[in-house]
Amino acid sequence: MLEESFPHMTGHYLALVSENGDINAALPIFEVRSWLTGHRLVSLPYATLCDPLIKDRNEFELLAKEAIALADRLGARSFEIRTHLTSEFVSDQRFGESLIYKHHFLSLERDDDVMMKSFDRTCVRQRIQRAVKSNFTLQTVENESQLSDFYTLYVHGRKHLGLPPQPYKFIRLLWNNFAPSGAVEILTARLNGQMIAAILMLKYRDRVSVEYSAHDEQYRNVSPVHFLFWEAIKLSRSRGFRIFDFGRTEESNQSLMDFKRHWGTTIVDLPEYYFPKGRMEKRRSESFEYRMMRNLCRVAPPRLLPSIGKFCYRHLG
């Protein structure tokens, strides 16, 4: 799906295989080629939560050795590994560590009433109460026409934030590949039949993760996003999921950090590792290119945002 969506990416899959052919550990890596941002390896592009498929340090060292050799053969200037639960196994001193991103999540192993009491009274509970009185209807995206409506709302939301939207092709492939099995679901809040907010969720094992959200800014005062998050939390708990993810956030994005914290979330680091050590990523928000991109997205007409997003994501990963 990544290769089909982004022609500048090529997947490589390293594995430790036993004599009888069983895969004991693995490291999926994508080669990212760009004349603007350079030639590098990433495990994995655009993944919010991502781990090497390992259970100890020895497995990491064997896979990392092969990954570094692969980078050398391909002529890649750097190699990036994102982690979630396996950072304790990354002990190679040749890798530099970055703690730019935080992860917010909510345990669903509590009654709805108990969870509600853990939310900030003003910033969440009162907003949920306001949203309930607004007579929203909850609806799941069921066809590509509705998916297109979601994308239009998503594009307008990204313009308000000053961020490029992911290409429609990527969102459509994500939905087409994973919605039939239930691994992707898009919930929408409607008012008088009109879609005014939506969230795209990924589901895996006991976890539900909100990957993308969007809302019509003119309805912000009736809190459709809070309505959707609360309905998604309750729905996930009723289906037996144990964790509700709010995604990863750059620590410097204080407004988004506050929004997620107000839901009573647990906050942990999402360590990223870079080879060579001197190639460690700087905070996106500190770069001149990032500030220029945000200014462009804010002033560009909505109809041009998909093209801007297509260009930007041609060089990201």
Side-chain angles (χ1 to χ4, degrees), residues 125-138:
R125 279 186 278 168
Q126 289 182 0
R127 285 181 171 269
I128 292 173
Q129 292 169 1
R130 184 188 310 161
V132 169
K133 295 176 182 177
S134 299
N135 297 318
F136 293 120
T137 57
L138 190 69

Side-chain angles (χ1 to χ4, degrees), residues 296-312:
L296 174 62
C297 289
R298 285 193 176 105
V299 301
R303 69 180 184 277
L304 294 183
L305 259 292
S307 296
I308 294 173
K310 194 172 183 180
F311 172 80
C312 290

Side-chain angles (χ1 to χ4, degrees), residues 170-193:
F170 176 68
I171 300 294
R172 178 171 52 81
L173 285 171
L174 190 66
W175 189 74
N176 285 340
N177 276 285
F178 296 111
S181 66
V184 161
E185 184 175 18
I186 303 175
L187 291 181
T188 68
R190 293 178 179 267
L191 196 59
N192 300 321

Side-chain angles (χ1 to χ4, degrees), residues 88-108:
E88 63 181 300
F89 302 140
V90 182
S91 57
D92 194 315
Q93 296 301 310
R94 292 173 297 177
F95 284 82
E97 183 184 56
S98 172
L99 298 175
I100 290 176
Y101 295 101
K102 301 292 183 182
H103 172 222
H104 296 70
F105 66 93
L106 193 65
S107 170
L108 300 180

Side-chain angles (χ1 to χ4, degrees), residues 107-168:
S107 170
L108 300 180
E109 297 183 287
R110 298 172 290 171
D111 292 338
D112 291 347
D113 290 342
V114 175
M115 269 195 295
M116 177 67 82
K117 291 177 181 177
S118 71
F119 302 159
D120 184 275
R121 182 176 65 86
T122 303
C123 298
V124 178
R125 279 186 278 168
Q126 289 182 0
R127 285 181 171 269
I128 292 173
Q129 292 169 1
R130 184 188 310 161
V132 169
K133 295 176 182 177
S134 299
N135 297 318
F136 293 120
T137 57
L138 190 69
Q139 184 175 329
T140 302
V141 167
E142 301 290 350
N143 54 55
E144 188 147 348
S145 175
Q146 294 174 352
L147 183 69
S148 179
D149 291 341
F150 161 75
Y151 188 74
T152 298
L153 190 66
Y154 165 68
V155 168
H156 280 81
R158 298 291 278 185
K159 174 177 171 57
H160 177 75
L161 294 171
L163 295 171
Q166 280 275 14
Y168 179 69

